[in-house]
Amino acid sequence: MQHLQGAGKKRKYLAVAIGIMVGYIVFLTSRIWFPGQSDASDYTQLGSQVMVGDTDISVLLVYWAYAPNQAAMSVELDVQAEVGINLDFQAVDKAMDQLPVICMLQESGTVVLKISDIPEDFGAISLRAVKGKEQARLYTNLKQVDQVERLTFYTTLDGYYQARITRNIEALEQDIKEQQDLLLELDVQITGYKEQIEQTTARLPYLRKSQRITAEDEIQALEKQIENCKEKQQAANDTISELTSEMEKQQQLKNGKVYETLHEEVVPEANVTLENDTQKAMEERQ
């Protein structure tokens, strides 16, 4: 009887040890897939270029969108690699569940992916670009991803370029508005400083000499604040001019092209081979 009880305790200890080991492995695996939740900068920012391991291949994150109604995401990447390089893409959520990834478009180094079956409480998504044993890891979460009503996919690269231009214009408009708001804020500050100067100046004749010296120092400090505000206004106006010029260029690009038709083409695997455009065109003609 004692022998059986001892064996039961050994099995219990073994089960606990196995449970701890599995939990540790899951923790390590999670850290490989996901960065620390507390630091949002750990997640991949738009415009970030990530190397695929120790290779010469790089992946630049252009855009990452999430449509809750479709439980899906679209990821737009610019890939720098030699012609014929083969990349595989994989994705998981925070629960380490594998998510379907399909390639919607691959042209001139731009790759557009669709990630499906996104859970409502996904917390974070990890996307890997894999070349053999080497990989680049990209991450997003609910706070960083651009939430949209519906994902949009285009038949050719021109459609995505148009979408980029539209996003660029919207970002420039927001930047201009922020500078305009800053100008208004600085105007309010300047008005306040001038009123203080007028009030202090009006009191000067009635102050003692020591008080008058202090008041005059205050006036000089306020005048310095006004000069600082005017310098900031000049810098803001210069920034607005630069942003406006860039927005005009983007608008010209937008007006010079026509939006491509949309499509919902499904490619069986998210496996992309970077092709030479000339070779591709020759094959199409044949």
Side-chain angles (χ1 to χ4, degrees), residues 8-268:
K9 289 181 179 179
K10 288 181 179 179
R11 285 195 294 270
K12 184 183 294 185
Y13 293 146
L14 182 61
V16 172
I18 292 174
I20 293 174
M21 184 177 296
V22 170
Y24 186 66
I25 292 173
V26 170
F27 171 77
L28 289 179
T29 305
S30 177
R31 293 296 298 176
I32 290 175
W33 274 97
F34 294 94
Q37 290 285 340
S38 60
D39 189 358
S41 64
D42 286 341
Y43 288 83
T44 311
Q45 304 294 317
L46 296 183
S48 297
Q49 190 171 28
V50 183
M51 300 303 298
V52 180
D54 293 329
T55 69
D56 294 331
I57 306 170
S58 66
V59 177
L60 186 145
L61 179 60
V62 176
Y63 187 54
W64 200 325
Y66 167 53
N69 294 335
Q70 295 174 276
M73 290 180 168
S74 65
V75 184
E76 187 176 340
L77 307 169
D78 279 348
V79 180
Q80 293 289 334
E82 295 180 0
V83 174
I85 292 295
N86 201 36
L87 285 180
D88 185 53
F89 292 90
Q90 305 167 10
V92 297
D93 59 17
K94 190 62 179 177
M96 302 305 296
D97 293 327
Q98 195 83 18
L99 301 172
V101 182
I102 57 177
C103 180
M104 305 300 291
L105 179 134
Q106 183 273 312
E107 185 179 341
S108 299
T110 294
V111 176
V112 180
L113 305 171
K114 180 178 180 180
I115 307 175
S116 305
D117 298 343
I118 306 294
E120 292 183 6
D121 56 345
F122 65 85
I125 297 295
S126 174
L127 174 67
R128 288 193 304 177
V130 182
K131 171 60 178 173
K133 295 182 179 180
E134 306 294 336
Q135 61 182 269
R137 300 188 184 99
L138 309 174
Y139 310 96
T140 195
N141 59 18
L142 197 55
K143 292 182 179 180
Q144 286 191 300
V145 72
D146 185 18
Q147 294 196 42
V148 297
E149 289 294 325
R150 187 169 183 79
L151 300 178
T152 303
F153 298 100
Y154 302 93
T155 55
T156 68
L157 187 56
D158 282 343
Y160 291 99
Y161 283 166
Q162 284 290 307
R164 290 188 191 186
I165 292 171
T166 298
R167 292 195 299 269
N168 290 342
I169 291 174
E170 291 174 352
L172 289 166
E173 289 174 341
Q174 181 60 35
D175 291 341
I176 290 173
K177 183 180 183 305
E178 290 177 0
Q179 294 298 316
Q180 290 172 337
D181 291 343
L182 176 60
L183 287 174
L184 293 176
E185 181 182 338
L186 290 169
D187 277 336
V188 172
Q189 292 181 20
I190 290 174
T191 299
Y193 293 142
K194 287 181 176 180
E195 290 177 353
Q196 292 181 55
I197 290 174
E198 290 177 0
Q199 293 171 3
T200 304
T201 301
R203 292 197 304 268
L204 283 177
Y206 310 101
L207 299 176
R208 297 176 182 176
K209 183 177 180 180
S210 59
Q211 294 174 330
R212 190 164 58 249
I213 293 174
T214 300
E216 289 172 347
D217 289 341
E218 291 177 355
I219 290 174
Q220 290 180 359
L222 290 169
E223 290 174 341
K224 181 63 176 176
Q225 291 291 343
I226 291 175
E227 289 301 316
N228 290 338
C229 287
K230 289 182 177 179
E231 290 176 1
K232 291 179 180 178
Q233 284 182 325
Q234 183 60 52
N237 282 318
D238 291 343
T239 300
I240 289 174
S241 296
E242 293 173 1
L243 293 171
T244 301
S245 177
E246 179 61 27
M247 189 166 66
E248 290 174 354
K249 293 177 182 178
Q250 293 290 317
Q251 194 65 53
Q252 290 174 359
L253 287 173
K254 183 176 181 179
N255 295 337
K257 290 184 177 292
V258 180
Y259 278 106
E260 298 294 326
T261 56
L262 309 182
H263 81 306
E264 288 288 346
E265 177 185 353
V266 176
V267 181

